[in-house]
Amino acid sequence: MRKDQTLGEYLQSQGVSRRGFLKFCSATASLMALPPSAVAQVAEALATARRPSVIWLSFQECTGCTESLTRSHAPTVESLIFDAISLDYHHTLQAASGHGAEAAREAAMEENEGEYILVVDGSIPVGNKAYSTIAGISNYDMLVEAASKAFAIVAVGTCAAFGGIPHANPNPTGAVSVSDIVTGKPIINVSGCPPIPVVITGVLAHFLTFGTIPELDAQGRPAAFFGQNIHDRCYRRPFYERGQFAETFDDEGARKGWCLYKLGCKGPTTYNACATLKWNAGTSFPIQSGHGCIGCSEPNFWDKGSFYNPISAGMWGSRDALLGAAAAGAALGVGSAIAARARKKKAQAAEEA
Ligand code: FSX
């Protein structure tokens, strides 16, 4: 794609039909969690959108965020998105290395000053800036310079968004988040360790389409994806309501797929879209595979106590009150099941009469 081409022109030059383009727009709208009624608006915006430059920096992290991105489950859509943006620098994915790679980063920053999107994964050590360097430049200095010329910053992963695992007690490197350092620029936190790939691409799709950043929640995360907690959208929620809990990982409740709350699931205090978008082409997510949520998209998740202890009072109301509510829910559930059975019996009797 030439830099002066609009996305509409580019797709046309690649032989993408109008129907194919609308399909792409529909997938993009769904990536951004927009309703089907927004597809026409998305199509209009994308037809004239220009390919934005994206510079991606990786600091103190495990590369799980990039691994997650490369497992995006809609390759056709996402390859179009990645054809449609100019990924000018990415430590892991770029072919260039050494001086050539650094020259590409500097050139992209100069050519697109004030317009490029800076994506950052990993935390930044400030205990001693020399703890982590790239091409002889500390993470801190590289971030400050690249952020100063960016339009907006996407902090991908809990490390970049909140400090993450490197920030966990005793935080030997003095790791901090992007927003602890950068001020005066829009910062979008896409937390999760790692974050859901569709959420990363959804944020980029939003910028590509509208040239703006999406609506954010109180933690600076895209509200469309982080607006509800895992518990509220969990398919095991009916078991919680009925008071049916697994007590160990190999008991009858666990085998029957009952609620994992008593085994330490942090779903009620964790805001993310894992229960709906899931992972690996929508195949599964931790709770579906039998393990409770560890709350990896929340600040300080590593230091909040054992992953296997139930949420304590103060984190999500009183545990006893919760279990009391769950028991009441169970009673109500049983009551309504009895009433339903009675109604069915009555209807059968009426049919037979
Ligand atoms: Fe952190 Fe990402 Fe966890 Fe790993 O880049 S959010 S340790 S999945 O890799 O930063």
Side-chain angles (χ1 to χ4, degrees), residues 55 180 239 261:
I55 295 174
D180 284 327
F239 295 111
Y261 167 73

Side-chain angles (χ1 to χ4, degrees), residues 51 328 343:
R51 183 173 69 157
R343 279 196 300 276

